[in-house]
């Protein structure tokens, strides 16, 4: 221990000596409970409450030096707690959906269980959001060493038509990632990431569980809409641009960054039959061609080029996958040593933190396998694919030895503590994981000021300037697929009948177009429709939420019936929300104009339909000509399907 202290003292001395010739400017520090230490007219926070300036308290030192010092002060229990990434529970919901945190339960998580990273799912206005995140930081500040919380969030900035919860939260509303890929401009998605970064930081959020770099090679896949499509190089540039915007540059984390967690390493998008691996019935990604996994790796290399902070492994088992003659073990990504150590660490030299997806160490019970009985609401279960027969302790050990450094959705770290004490895990491995986590916390500036100004957040999140940029992205993301008889642009004098629009559309569009209440009064019909889907697994937690199955409209589909009838007397413009690559053959046959959208509000939609400016967006994936073509394509290969509209298709007018 003496040698460690001597080495650390030398590091501190060297670091300070370099800075002696330069005037040091005081950084902003803020605390609700901690006393200050003043040295050379500079202020520091006394985290360990001993009245002396420890290296980890000294903001003049590098994140690495500070993290090493703090690590040396931690108990095993505190180290294990830092390896947990729990849910910030809300009142009445343990996953955290709602408008108020359950502060008593969160106190237990942070102070008793030593959990120091939490995902927030709070659904509330920006001012309340910021105030409540400050309350969480006050809880953390009352812990033994007052280590600030990392508060993470899943994507919040995608516009979903008619979703009031999303829009009321105040975030700027953009097209989904497929829409950003349809624009296809790296500088634009960089601006997108930069704006979202600013919104998150104003709320006290410092970690984004995004982007998805998964390649969408299986069109039936339930999570296709979260990808950037099926083109590996386009996806790579989108991932790179997003992360450099989110992290405030390409060089790694700084005090203005939001740490990006790119996911899901790797091969998730080859989902067998399109069924998602959140579910036991969808645990496999199917690989049919040798080395086809290489294509799925390409988008992640964009993340590596800009020093992404963290990686989240996939739930999926890569069925029959091979890479460089290596047969990949049939276990989920979080347990796969080859994927995490040999490939990610050794081959691609990834230096950041590896965070597991949620609940991989929990059991998959009978309900997890067979679904809930009809009279019981489904809840999230464990997802330990390929290691179902191991104990919880064995899963933790296997995941840590494979390379996982933090566990998503888990708050009970006692398993790690007991495994170390029983010599089943080497504490040096735990130290390495915790050091990486702490270094990033220091780099983000969380120790100096984890608090935010709620009033500023209220004025900042989703402000008019941000939304103006987001609206332009919505406008630019629309892909023109058909324009028969040059029906577009619409004439401003046209009388329009709306189909499939929200009830308030008439008020929203007042003064912009003339809307009629009866079909026979119309000059033109504009219809909003969604891509078709099935939900055959509604007795599963995620099966009830995801779009699965067929991509073609059924013979009795009400939307197709309406479009068909309306088209007999009126020109019809159809905009289709494409969360998956739908078979649009019947729409193409009937409609005068077809516009693909990936999230667009009514005002922006009609601004585009009325504008003579050429369309510029292109499909970031192919649209199949039939379900037969979908079934014939290979789940692991990009752009291998008979298409109605090919990858990169898009008319100008």
């Amino acid at each position: 221990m003496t040698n460690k202290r001597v080495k650390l003292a030398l590091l501190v001395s060297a670091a300070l000596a370099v800075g002696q010739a330069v005037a040091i400017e005081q950084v902003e520090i803020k605390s609700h409970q901690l006393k200050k230490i003043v040295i050379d007219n500079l202020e520091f926070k006394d985290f360990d409450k001993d009245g002396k300036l420890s290296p980890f308290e000294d903001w003049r030192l590098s994140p690495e030096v500070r993290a090493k010092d703090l690590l040396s002060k931690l108990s095993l229990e505190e180290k294990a707690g830092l390896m947990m990434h729990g849910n910030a529970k809300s009142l009445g919901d343990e996953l955290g959906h709602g408008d108020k945190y359950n502060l008593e339960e969160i106190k237990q998580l942070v102070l008793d269980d030593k959990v120091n990273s939490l995902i927030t799912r709070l659904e509330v206005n920006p001012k309340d959001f910021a105030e409540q995140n400050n309350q969480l930081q006050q809880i953390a500040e009352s812990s033994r060493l007052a280590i600030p919380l990392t508060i993470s969030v899943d994507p919040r900035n995608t516009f979903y038509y008619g979703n009031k919860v999303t829009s009321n939260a105040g975030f700027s509303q953009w097209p989904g990632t497929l829409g950003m890929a349809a624009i296809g401009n790296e500088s634009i998605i960089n601006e997108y990431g930069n704006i979202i970064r600013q919104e998150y930081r104003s709320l006290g959020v410092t970690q984004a569980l995004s982007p998805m770099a998964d390649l969408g090679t299986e069109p039936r896949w339930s999570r296709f809409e979260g990808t950037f499509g099926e083109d590996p190089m386009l996806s790579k540039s989108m991932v790179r641009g997003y992360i450099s915007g989110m992290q405030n540059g390409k060089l790694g984390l700084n005090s203005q960054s939001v740490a990006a967690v790119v996911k899901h390493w790797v091969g998730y998008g080859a989902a067998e039959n399109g069924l998602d691996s959140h579910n036991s019935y969808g645990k496999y990604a199917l690989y049919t061609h040798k080395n086809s996994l290489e294509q799925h790796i390409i988008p992640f290399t964009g993340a590596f080029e800009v020093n992404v902070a963290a990686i989240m492994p996939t739930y999926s088992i890569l069925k029959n996958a091979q890479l460089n003659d290596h047969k990949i073990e049939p276990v989920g990504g979080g347990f796969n040593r080859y994927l995490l150590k040999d490939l990610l660490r050794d081959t691609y030299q990834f230096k950041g933190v590896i965070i597991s997806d949620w609940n991989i160490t929990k059991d998959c019970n009978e309900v997890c396998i067979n679904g809930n009985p009809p009279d019981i609401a489904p809840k999230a279960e464990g997802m330990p694919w390929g290691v179902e027969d191991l104990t919880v302790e064995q899963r933790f050990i296997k995941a840590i030895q494979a390379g996982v450094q933090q566990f998503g959705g888990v708050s009970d770290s006692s398993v790690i503590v007991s495994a170390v004490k029983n010599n089943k895990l080497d504490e040096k491995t735990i130290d390495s994981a915790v050091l990486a986590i702490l270094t990033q916390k220091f780099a983000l500036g969380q120790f100096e000021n984890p608090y935010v100004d709620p009033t500023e957040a209220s004025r900042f999140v989703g402000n008019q300037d941000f939304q103006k940029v987001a609206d332009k992205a919505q406008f630019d993301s629309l892909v023109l697929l058909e324009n028969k008889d040059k029906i577009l642009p619409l004439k401003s004098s046209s009388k329009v009948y709306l189909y499939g629009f929200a009830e308030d559309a008439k008020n929203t569009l007042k003064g912009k177009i003339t809307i009629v209440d009866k079909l026979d009064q119309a000059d033109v019909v504009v219809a909003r429709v969604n891509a078709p889907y099935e939900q055959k697994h509604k007795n599963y937690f995620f099966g009830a939420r995801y779009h699965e199955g067929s991509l073609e409209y059924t013979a009795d589909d009400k939307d197709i019936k309406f479009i068909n009838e309306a088209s007999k007397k009126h020109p019809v413009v159809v905009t289709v929300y494409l969360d998956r690559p739908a078979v649009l053959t019947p729409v193409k046959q009937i409609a005068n104009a077809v516009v693909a959208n990936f999230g667009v509000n009514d005002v922006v939609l009609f601004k585009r339909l009325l504008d003579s400016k050429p369309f510029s967006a292109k499909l970031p994936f192919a649209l199949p000509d039939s379900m037969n073509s979908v079934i014939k394509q290979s789940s692991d290969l990009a752009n291998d399907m008979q298409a109605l509209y090919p990858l990169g298709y898009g008319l100008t007018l």
Side-chain angles (χ1 to χ4, degrees):
M1 194 66 183
T2 303
N3 286 338
K4 285 185 179 179
R5 285 176 180 164
V6 170
K7 288 178 182 178
L8 190 57
L10 290 171
L11 283 170
V12 173
S13 299
L16 291 177
V18 170
Q20 282 175 354
V22 181
I24 298 174
E25 187 175 336
Q26 173 72 50
V27 302
E28 181 184 20
I29 62 173
K30 190 168 182 181
S31 171
H32 284 263
Q33 304 169 41
L34 300 177
K35 293 181 179 179
K36 294 178 181 177
I37 299 170
V38 180
I39 296 178
D40 297 330
N41 294 318
L42 297 174
E43 295 181 341
F44 306 86
K45 290 159 73 172
D46 189 10
F47 287 94
D48 58 11
K49 309 168 187 71
D50 67 353
K52 301 175 185 177
L53 183 63
S54 299
F56 87 93
E57 298 167 334
D58 190 342
W59 44 259
R60 297 170 297 181
L61 301 179
S62 71
E64 293 79 10
V65 169
R66 297 178 73 186
K68 285 178 183 175
D69 180 52
L70 179 53
L71 177 66
S72 70
K73 299 176 184 297
L74 296 176
S75 67
L76 176 58
E77 288 75 15
E78 287 167 330
K79 294 175 188 176
L82 279 156
M83 293 179 68
M84 304 293 104
H85 198 125
N87 301 311
K89 301 176 181 181
S90 62
L91 294 174
D93 188 280
E94 83 176 28
L95 292 180
H97 298 285
D99 60 2
K100 282 187 173 59
Y101 287 133
N102 188 327
L103 295 178
E104 289 306 311
E105 291 203 13
I106 291 174
K107 277 183 184 177
Q108 181 178 335
L109 277 179
V110 175
L111 301 182
D112 298 340
D113 299 332
K114 319 299 183 189
V115 176
N116 197 251
S117 295
L118 297 170
I119 180 175
T120 178
R121 299 185 178 96
L122 213 59
E123 298 157 355
V124 70
N125 67 72
K127 184 174 184 291
D128 287 347
F129 208 150
E131 286 176 345
Q132 293 193 59
N133 283 342
N134 282 346
Q135 288 179 307
L136 299 193
Q137 295 295 358
Q138 287 184 55
I139 292 171
E141 198 172 66
S142 69
S143 65
R144 185 177 77 90
L145 291 168
I147 301 172
L149 293 177
T150 295
I151 300 175
S152 69
V153 70
D154 274 326
R156 291 290 192 97
N157 292 75
T158 300
F159 176 81
Y160 292 106
Y161 191 68
N163 187 325
K164 298 298 182 185
V165 171
T166 299
S167 58
N168 288 344
F171 293 97
S172 57
Q173 297 293 282
W174 300 71
T177 50
L178 290 171
M180 299 306 294
I183 298 170
N185 186 306
E186 187 170 341
S187 66
I188 291 175
I189 198 166
N190 178 266
E191 183 177 26
Y192 164 82
N194 184 44
I195 286 174
I196 295 170
R197 172 188 66 81
Q198 295 173 65
E199 292 185 330
Y200 285 179
R201 287 292 308 217
S202 77
L203 295 169
V205 171
T206 56
Q207 189 173 66
L209 302 180
S210 56
M212 282 177 62
D214 307 291
L215 200 60
T217 53
E218 170 49 68
R220 291 168 289 183
W221 182 32
S222 305
R223 296 193 72 186
F224 195 101
E225 70 171 327
T227 74
F228 293 108
E230 66 174 319
D231 182 329
M233 295 308 294
L234 173 61
S235 296
K236 175 182 177 177
S237 69
M238 294 293 99
V239 167
R240 183 173 57 209
Y242 177 97
I243 292 170
S244 59
M246 186 65 75
Q247 295 193 168
N248 193 40
K250 301 178 180 180
L251 302 178
L253 299 180
N254 55 63
S255 63
Q256 301 303 310
S257 300
V258 169
V261 183
V262 66
K263 53 191 189 183
H264 305 83
W265 181 261
V266 60
Y268 188 19
E272 187 172 26
N273 297 319
L275 299 173
D276 190 76
S277 58
H278 276 82
N279 311 288
S280 62
Y281 59 80
K283 67 178 73 170
Y284 295 106
L286 178 61
Y287 282 79
T288 61
H289 291 70
K290 187 177 180 180
N291 291 334
S292 60
L293 186 60
E294 288 178 348
Q295 296 294 298
H296 292 257
I297 291 172
I298 289 172
F300 288 89
T301 63
F304 304 148
E305 287 174 9
V306 290
N307 297 289
V308 68
I311 287 267
M312 181 178 289
T314 179
Y315 285 125
S316 303
I317 297 172
L318 306 188
K319 188 175 181 180
N320 301 330
Q322 289 187 57
L323 194 62
N324 302 323
D325 294 320
H326 180 93
K327 290 186 178 180
I328 297 170
E329 184 184 6
V331 294
F335 302 103
N336 202 307
R337 186 183 178 95
Y338 174 77
L339 292 181
L340 301 186
K341 286 202 169 175
D342 297 357
L343 202 58
L344 182 58
R345 293 294 194 197
D346 296 344
T347 302
Y348 289 98
Q349 296 294 299
F350 174 65
K351 304 297 185 186
V353 176
I354 298 176
I355 305 173
S356 85
D357 214 331
W358 263 230
N359 295 346
I360 68 166
T361 56
K362 292 185 179 179
D363 290 331
C364 179
N365 55 28
E366 185 178 345
V367 168
C368 165
I369 296 168
N370 298 315
N372 279 80
D375 56 336
I376 299 177
K379 66 175 185 177
E381 305 290 345
M383 289 158 262
W385 310 143
V387 293
E388 292 93 333
D389 293 337
L390 297 185
T391 65
V392 170
E393 181 186 63
Q394 288 170 334
R395 290 180 201 133
F396 268 107
I397 292 170
K398 185 173 177 65
I400 291 169
Q401 291 176 342
V404 169
Q405 295 170 306
Q406 193 174 66
F407 291 86
V410 181
S411 56
D412 181 6
S413 60
S414 62
V415 179
I416 293 177
V417 173
S418 65
V420 172
K421 288 182 175 179
N422 291 321
N423 297 317
K424 296 178 181 179
L425 272 175
D426 188 342
E427 191 168 355
K428 289 182 180 178
T429 305
I430 305 303
D431 287 350
S432 176
V434 174
L435 182 63
I437 294 164
L438 289 175
T439 300
Q440 293 194 353
K441 281 179 177 285
F442 282 112
L444 289 165
Q446 291 177 253
F447 278 78
E448 277 52 72
N449 184 11
Y451 298 102
V452 292
D453 182 342
T455 305
E456 281 298 305
S458 186
R459 289 197 294 262
F460 198 79
V461 174
N463 66 62
Q464 289 185 354
D465 291 339
F466 286 174
Q467 192 54 52
K468 185 177 180 180
V469 179
D471 283 348
K472 186 178 188 304
Q474 289 186 29
F475 182 100
D476 290 340
S477 69
L478 296 171
V479 181
L480 182 61
L481 301 177
E482 296 289 338
N483 192 19
K484 299 169 189 171
D485 304 320
K486 299 297 179 182
I487 187 69
L488 296 180
L490 295 179
K491 296 175 182 176
S492 58
S493 60
S494 296
K495 296 175 181 177
V496 180
Y497 181 83
L498 301 178
Y499 173 82
F501 283 73
E503 290 181 6
D504 62 352
K506 193 170 183 179
N507 291 330
T508 303
L509 295 168
K510 189 175 182 180
K512 296 177 174 62
I513 56 169
T514 301
I515 300 172
V516 296
D517 296 324
K518 295 182 180 179
L519 184 59
D520 57 12
Q521 298 172 332
D523 298 321
V524 64
V525 175
V526 178
R528 270 190 182 270
V529 301
N530 293 317
Y533 63 90
E534 298 172 307
Q535 286 184 306
K536 295 183 176 180
H537 300 93
K538 285 191 172 184
N539 56 329
Y540 292 79
F541 183 81
F542 292 101
R545 289 158 175 77
Y546 287 166
H547 291 181
E548 302 176 343
S550 177
L551 294 165
E552 64 182 354
Y553 294 98
T554 59
D556 61 346
D557 184 88
K558 64 180 179 62
D559 295 336
I560 300 300
K561 281 185 174 181
F562 170 81
I563 295 167
N564 190 43
E565 286 302 310
S567 68
K568 292 175 181 177
K569 295 183 179 180
H570 305 278
V572 180
V573 176
V574 178
T575 182
V576 188
Y577 176 67
L578 292 178
D579 63 334
R580 300 187 302 158
V583 178
L584 297 184
T585 305
V587 180
K588 173 185 169 74
Q589 292 169 345
I590 302 168
N592 296 78
V594 182
V595 178
N597 85 74
F598 307 96
V600 62
N601 68 54
D602 290 334
V603 172
V604 173
L605 172 64
F606 273 91
K607 184 180 179 182
R608 174 67 276 187
L609 296 180
L610 291 162
D611 201 320
S612 59
K613 178 183 177 181
F615 284 73
S616 57
K618 306 298 179 185
L619 286 175
F621 52 86
L623 292 176
D625 62 356
S626 67
M627 269 308 292
N628 189 47
S629 295
V630 173
I631 293 167
K632 285 182 178 179
Q633 60 86 42
S634 297
S635 60
D636 51 327
L637 298 183
N639 201 24
D640 69 330
M641 180 172 59
Q642 187 70 32
L644 181 68
Y645 300 107
L647 171 68
Y649 182 85
L651 301 175
T652 53
L653 269 179

